[in-house]
Amino acid sequence: FELAIRMATGASRNQLLRLVLRQASWLLFSGLCAGVIFATLVYTSLQPKIASLPAFDLMPIILIDLLLIIIVLIATLWPAKRIINRAPMQALREL
């Protein structure tokens, strides 16, 4: 509803996309930071106890995080773009 109401009050498409990205990026990066810290702590605490674990490598974590960033951005921007490209009253009716 928020996007449709902002569209009806005259917000531009770029302003709406920035709003969506700003809200999503805070959640994305806080979740990624918490996940990386938690995964690193768990892995480094388990590594001495389990001899078959390979040495800790940061590169796979970075690659997985980049993939997750791309997935979250697509999942956030795709529905927002669909709503933004509609007329404001049509978007309000369909929600």
Side-chain angles (χ1 to χ4, degrees):
F1 281 117
E2 183 180 356
L3 289 177
I5 291 171
R6 287 181 185 261
M7 285 171 46
T9 58
S12 71
R13 291 179 178 177
N14 288 334
Q15 289 173 334
L16 295 173
L17 286 176
R18 276 188 297 224
L19 174 72
V20 169
L21 282 176
R22 192 177 322 120
Q23 290 175 351
S25 65
W26 183 84
L27 290 171
L28 170 67
F29 290 115
S30 63
L32 281 177
C33 289
V36 167
I37 291 169
F38 180 74
T40 303
L41 290 175
V42 168
Y43 193 84
T44 54
S45 68
L46 289 177
Q47 194 173 14
K49 298 173 186 174
I50 303 172
S52 63
L53 285 178
F56 180 76
D57 188 13
L58 195 59
M59 188 55 68
I61 291 177
I62 292 172
L63 292 175
I64 290 170
D65 285 347
L66 288 175
L67 180 64
L68 288 174
I69 289 170
I70 291 169
I71 290 170
V72 167
L73 289 177
I74 290 171
T76 302
L77 290 177
W78 193 333
K81 190 89 165 149
R82 280 189 13 231
I83 291 172
I84 290 170
N85 286 334
R86 292 196 175 124
M89 293 310 292
Q90 179 186 6
L92 281 172
R93 276 189 221 115
E94 291 178 4
L95 294 175

